[in-house]
Each structure stands twice: as C-alpha cells, then as structure tokens.
Amino acid sequence: MTAPAAAPPLDVDRVRQDFPILSERVRGKPLVYLDNAATSQKPRAVIDAVSRFYATENANVHRGVHYLSERATVAYDEVRARVARFLNAPSPETIVFTRGTTEAINLVAQSWARGTLRPGDEILVTGMEHHSNLVPWQLVAAQTGAVVRAVPITDAGELDLRAFDGLLTDRTRLLAAVHVSNALGTINPVRWMVSRAHERGIVTLIDGAQSVPHLPVDVQAIGCDFFAFSGHKVFGPTGVGALYGRAELLEGMPPWQGGGDMIESVTLEHSTWARPPARFEAGTPMIAEVIGLGAALDYVETIGHAPIGTWEEELLAYATERFRGLDGVRLVGTAREKASVLSFLVEGVHPHDVGAVLDDDGIAIRAGHHCAQPVMRRLGIPATARASFAFYNTRDEVDALVRGVERVRRVFA
Ligand code: 7TS
C-alpha cells in the first residue's frame, strides 16, 4: 500500500483574508480570537450568502406557488442534501434542521426517548458532557422514571473505557456521548463506543458540536443512530444546526412540536403527520441561516479537512509546548487525542481574572465552567481559562497568548 499523499499546507495568511472580523482591532489592539469553541467567525462567503438571500431570494419555503418561494424552497432543500453529503449521511431525508445542537438533542429526548423509556431504563452519558447533552436526559428521565448514568473520566480527561464497558447493561437503552469535549478537547473513540453499544442493541447519539469544525465526520462509519451539530461553530450562522437520524428511527418517532409544515392533514379534532424530516420542522424554519450553513460547509470543504486538521494539530502542539514551559501554569485536559482546545489554570489567579487581563490585550478566550460543570467537579476545580483554536489562528497568536499569560502572572504576582 502506498502512503496517502500529504495534504497541501494551509495558507493561513490567505484564509484569514476571508474573515473580515479578523482584521478588527479591539481595545486598540489587533483582535486575537481564541474563543472558537464558543462560536467561530464567519467567512465573507457566508455573510454574502445570507445577505444575497435576503436581497434577492427571500420568501417562505414549502408554501408559496410563486417564483421566489419556489427558489427559496429549492435553495433550502439543497442545503439538506449538502449537510447529508458533509456528514456522509445516506440521504437528505435523514437530516432535520434544528436551531443547533441543543435543540437537536432535546428533539431526540422528547420525541424518541420520552415515548420509549420505561422506569429503570438507563441512559448512559459521559462525565465530560456539555450541559446540552446532559440536562435533556435528566428532564426525560424525570418524565419516564429512567436513570442517567455517566462514564467516569480519568485525571488526564479521558474516558475510563473499562468502566464504560461495565456500564453497558441490559437496562441501558441509550448511549449519548460527546465526540470532542468542549472543556478539555478530548477526542472520544466514538466509533468503538457505538459498536460496543450496538452489540447490546443500545441506541446511540453523538454530540458533534465540537467535532464537526475540526474533524471529517462520517456518520455511517461512526455507525451512530443520531448525530447533532451546530452551524455557528462550523463558520455558519447562529440559530441553525442539524440532527442526523437513522431513517427507521425517525420514521417511528412522533412530532415534538406542532405547527405549520409538519402535518399531512388536519381536521379540528385530529391531525396526521408528514414524513421525516418535515415532521420535525414545525413552523417557518430559519431559512436564511440554513442558506448560510450551506455556504459554510462549502467553504470548509474548499479549504479541505486534511489541511485544516494538519494545521490545527500543529498549532495545538505548539501551544501545548509553549504552555508547558510557563511557570505557575497548569494544563487541564491532557488526553492523548485532542482537538483545538487548551484549558489551563494560572496559579493563584481566578480564570475570570485571566480572561479580563487577556481581554485588555485584545485576546478573546473563555473563562468559566464551559457549561460542563460535572467535568470541573470531577477535577476539583471551579473553572478554567480556555483558548480554543480554529484553522485561521496563527503561531503569532499563540505567542501573543503566551505573552498575555506572562503578563497575568506579573499583574497578580
Ligand atoms: N455540545 C457541546 C460539546 C458544545 O461544546 C456545545 C456548545 C453544545 C453542545 C451546545 O451547542 P449550541 O450551539 O446548541 O449552544 N459549547 C459552547 C462552549 O464551549 N462555549 O460556548 C458554547
């Protein structure tokens, strides 16, 4: 076998030109944007697609017989096929548009789990979930009498896979696991986990909010039943995301919201439902945002997953090495497989103060529990400072971050 050809290197300076906001100055300094796990910046292609839609195509979808409505409907449905290709889903009908990852997971909780789970059934999550992949399961557990259990994590921030095996029991009905942790950056072995769960007939959901922006995702290779992600973290607009669901499961699920566009027929007494995905898209959808999402996925694929992955790995390795050399700084989350997240603590300084000093330098990071309080509790810390990278970040920006952290040490000495 011949080795795969090396990916052409990413021209970071050139791709930065595609993102207008990256040339902004904040507090008189060049913006150093390292909060990509919270939301990523938007390339001109996405901004233009949204504004072009409003300027030339705007109409409601799946309703009008007029020219614009037909055009908007075609554009909207094309993005469904676009998302399916991006995730290697088997068909556009397996893609439901949602407001984002959170709504996608709540959809599965309320439509699939609520009618399926019985008292004593178990939902298995991990100890590193974002609250979005934990609280919806707690809500549905309270509604059904099911129980939420969690795979423990190690001090390095990896899943304890031996414990995982032991937690898959005859009572487990659902595995809901995060692909890449937003607080630690850990990449979980989801393909293996899904196959272990499927051996026992357990339904699986993967939270891909933090994987889709960094890794190529193939839902058929992962083998999961559901996969959720948010557009705004993958360089698209806010207010849009998608749920992939295996066709047989979606077909059997009831609607979770009622309204326009999700019905087959309605009388005053009774309604019947449209087939998926329309069944799960009640009301006027986020049309312009969907169009923007399509432009974002096109953009990512034009840059290419391979050069993105190579550059981001290099950047994370560089940042990790520089941080290891800093006195009084501790990295939180040192898994062997990581993507684009550097969580850290500065001795004697609250992460919020770290964030505030860096902000004075024009450096945007996030400080807090990152909506992953169980991770913080497990590691015995209240919060972390977190730098999270995208492919448009540079070594110079890492150097600026390091200088900023050195200044934090001096300010609080
Ligand atoms: N799952 C993970 C792993 C996430 O990181 C996030 C958001 C969500 C779900 C929820 O996504 P939403 O688009 O529906 O809100 N994570 C973060 C973060 O790390 N900082 O701000 C939001």
Side-chain angles (χ1 to χ4, degrees):
M1 259 175 53
T2 51
L10 186 69
D11 185 344
V12 184
D13 288 338
R14 207 203 58 69
V15 295
R16 286 179 71 83
Q17 309 290 318
D18 296 337
F19 292 79
I21 208 169
L22 297 181
S23 344
E24 287 291 302
R25 295 177 80 82
V26 296
R27 305 190 190 290
K29 317 262 171 52
L31 168 67
V32 175
Y33 188 77
L34 300 175
D35 194 17
N36 294 284
T39 198
S40 58
Q41 299 301 349
K42 318 306 170 198
R44 176 71 71 196
V46 168
I47 300 167
D48 286 352
V50 173
S51 107
R52 193 167 50 239
F53 174 77
Y54 280 127
T56 66
E57 290 189 328
N58 179 54
N60 212 328
V61 293
H62 301 148
R63 284 157 173 81
V65 291
H66 58 81
Y67 175 81
L68 282 183
S69 177
E70 277 172 13
R71 221 169 120 173
T73 301
V74 168
Y76 179 83
D77 287 335
E78 271 175 8
V79 179
R80 199 187 298 284
R82 186 77 196 76
V83 173
R85 280 204 309 283
F86 195 81
L87 299 179
N88 193 32
S91 75
E93 289 72 36
T94 60
I95 303 298
V96 181
F97 287 122
T98 65
R99 279 197 301 123
T101 306
T102 303
E103 191 175 72
I105 295 172
N106 278 277
L107 189 168
V108 178
Q110 291 304 312
S111 171
W112 178 81
R114 191 170 183 177
T116 306
L117 299 180
R118 300 283 167 263
D121 283 350
E122 292 180 1
I123 301 164
L124 185 59
V125 298
T126 79
M128 62 172 88
E129 298 308 323
H130 185 278
H131 299 164
S132 290
N133 196 29
L134 176 58
V135 181
W137 307 119
Q138 292 173 341
L139 290 171
V140 79
Q143 289 159 342
T144 59
V147 179
V148 178
R149 307 196 70 184
V151 183
I153 62 177
T154 66
D155 291 340
E158 292 178 333
L159 290 181
D160 178 342
L161 293 178
R162 196 169 307 200
F164 166 73
D165 253 348
L167 282 161
L168 295 174
T169 73
D170 293 343
R171 291 182 301 277
T172 316
R173 300 297 304 277
L174 173 73
L175 169 68
V178 70
H179 196 174
V180 171
S181 157
N182 69 316
L184 304 168
T186 312
I187 304 175
N188 289 319
V190 288
R191 197 166 165 165
W192 178 82
M193 292 166 74
V194 164
S195 83
R196 296 299 277 179
H198 280 175
E199 282 166 20
R200 290 177 169 271
I202 297 165
V203 168
T204 54
L205 174 145
I206 301 301
D207 171 353
Q210 298 293 349
S211 58
V212 161
H214 304 293
L215 314 171
V217 166
D218 179 333
V219 291
Q220 295 188 78
I222 294 171
C224 53
D225 299 294
F226 296 107
F227 185 96
F229 77 96
S230 298
H232 71 97
K233 294 188 200 284
V234 64
F235 318 103
T238 51
V240 63
L243 173 72
Y244 156 75
R246 208 152 48 75
E248 306 84 89
L249 280 168
L250 290 179
E251 285 288 350
M253 285 161 50
W256 76 307
Q257 291 177 341
D261 223 25
M262 48 70 74
I263 49 84
E264 187 182 63
S265 81
V266 177
T267 67
L268 282 178
E269 296 76 28
H270 181 72
S271 304
T272 55
W273 318 132
R275 296 192 59 189
R279 187 185 299 164
F280 306 107
E281 294 180 4
T284 297
M286 37 326 212
I287 306 165
E289 290 79 359
V290 164
I291 303 298
L293 174 61
L297 300 185
D298 283 345
Y299 180 83
V300 169
E301 288 198 336
T302 305
I303 304 283
H305 281 295
I308 288 175
T310 306
W311 175 239
E312 289 187 354
E313 261 176 47
E314 197 179 317
L315 203 58
L316 183 67
Y318 178 63
T320 305
E321 182 196 307
R322 295 248 23 216
F323 268 65
R324 287 218 164 104
L326 286 172
D327 275 344
V329 173
R330 183 181 132 203
L331 291 177
V332 179
T334 49
R336 281 156 296 184
E337 298 287 329
K338 278 186 66 172
S340 293
V341 168
L342 199 74
S343 254
F344 61 95
L345 294 170
V346 180
E347 198 180 308
V349 187
H350 192 280
H352 285 150
D353 294 328
V354 175
V357 172
L358 293 176
D359 182 49
D360 284 341
D361 294 340
I363 302 172
I365 62 152
R366 184 168 170 192
H369 53 62
H370 315 297
C371 301
Q373 286 188 13
V375 174
M376 303 297 135
R377 202 160 290 127
R378 160 65 182 82
L379 299 177
I381 52 180
T384 73
R386 180 190 70 182
S388 53
F389 305 106
F391 60 79
Y392 44 62
N393 289 125
T394 64
R395 280 172 180 259
D396 286 350
E397 289 180 312
V398 171
D399 293 339
L401 174 68
V402 168
R403 282 194 303 277
V405 172
E406 285 166 344
R407 197 165 80 79
V408 170
R409 292 270 292 158
R410 286 197 300 279
V411 169
F412 289 90

